[in-house]
Amino acid sequence: MTNPLFYAKILLFGEYGIIEDSQGLTLPYSFYKGTLKFSDLVSDFEKKSNQHLINYSDYLKNLQLPEGFKIDVNAFKMDISEGLFFDSNIPQGYGVGSSGALVAAIFEKYSVSKRNPETISKDELKNLRSVFGSMESYFHGKSSGIDPLICYMNLPILIENRESVDKVSIPISVAGKGAIFLIDSGMTGETGPMVQIFFEKMKTEGFRKTLKEEFIRYNNACIEAFLKKDMNPFFKNLKKLSNWAFEHFRPMIPESIFNVWKKGLDSNAYYLKLCGSGGGGYILGFTKDYDKAEEMLKGFHKEVIYRF
């Protein structure tokens, strides 16, 4: 039997804010995916991936997971010795959940108690998120568990607050002029250092105040308007959010993107925001007229992820 595919994820809203109890909205992105496979480990990619799994299995062996969420680490180690690797085209350091997909794949295959994502209750989602957070901490230092949760559920998830997440329906993508798209900054970003910058900023009262009173307000308003498909308030708050990030998340904005971020704000042709922790990887773009935005962003590699 072939192993299931685990898709990348995109955090549309909530980057950094979810650390401070803002809402977040995240969805699977099937353009990138990964799956566990066996091979004779001929290529460098396969050998490297297999070695990563060996190291990770040692971490899992010492990880205390609650009853009902335990992993059969011995079976995992046995499979690794037989040539298991993670076959994935999800780019690393791009903010689209490469480690989340791996964690989800391992949990799905080796968890002792099997469950069906379709029937998982809201309470169980909370427990799963906590388990995934422990499992993913190996990769980033501290993890919210959101990325693996999205990859495992393969459904849009609304992060209601620090404690609570729920499955959510997003409006169906239709062939309109508007679009949400990804821009490749041309460089990879590392989550750890970016999160460190954020926590340094949080030490100043002025930043904490503006994050709570402005960023979180605009962020939550964007989510509410998007889920209702109410595009006028959506773009109004999106501009404020993009402008706030341009002022306060400057170190997280890749240099290659800096000028076009400002150009979007000045022209109102499109608005940009971070996709994940920033520093590199993908940047998210939103526009009412994709053809116009595409023309203005010539020279950048772009991928449309949603039309309206």
Side-chain angles (χ1 to χ4, degrees), residues 17 23 32 65 72 92-93 95 143 160 165-166 193 197 209 213 229-230 243 264 266 273 275 281 299 302:
Q23 290 184 350
Y32 293 120
L65 292 174
D72 188 345
Q92 294 185 351
S143 161
E160 295 170 335
V165 293
D166 207 358
I197 291 169
K209 190 169 161 34
E213 291 176 6
K229 215 168 179 182
D230 206 345
N243 201 38
D266 291 344
K273 63 184 293 299
C275 179
K302 297 170 289 296

Side-chain angles (χ1 to χ4, degrees), residues 11 16 29 53 80 123 126 146:
L11 182 64
Y16 292 107
Y29 181 43
L53 293 184
I80 294 169
D123 270 355
K126 186 178 169 180
I146 288 292

Side-chain angles (χ1 to χ4, degrees), residues 261-304:
W261 191 303
K262 180 92 169 65
K263 199 168 149 186
L265 285 168
D266 291 344
S267 64
N268 293 316
Y270 59 85
Y271 302 125
L272 302 184
K273 63 184 293 299
L274 298 178
C275 179
S277 57
Y282 286 119
I283 295 293
L284 271 163
F286 300 78
T287 180
K288 290 181 181 176
D289 184 345
Y290 184 66
D291 290 344
K292 186 179 176 186
E294 191 179 34
E295 186 59 36
M296 289 175 71
L297 290 162
K298 252 201 174 101
F300 285 95
H301 175 68
K302 297 170 289 296
E303 290 165 29
V304 173

Side-chain angles (χ1 to χ4, degrees), residues 35 57 80 98 103 128 148 151 172 181 189 216:
T35 187
S57 68
I80 294 169
S98 53
V103 168
L128 253 183
C151 300
I172 294 163
F181 56 96
I216 290 177

Side-chain angles (χ1 to χ4, degrees), residues 32-49:
Y32 293 120
K33 49 193 131 348
T35 187
L36 290 165
K37 273 188 187 171
F38 288 95
S39 86
D40 296 333
L41 304 180
V42 179
S43 76
D44 282 348
F45 176 85
E46 292 167 359
K47 284 179 194 158
K48 209 169 159 187
S49 173

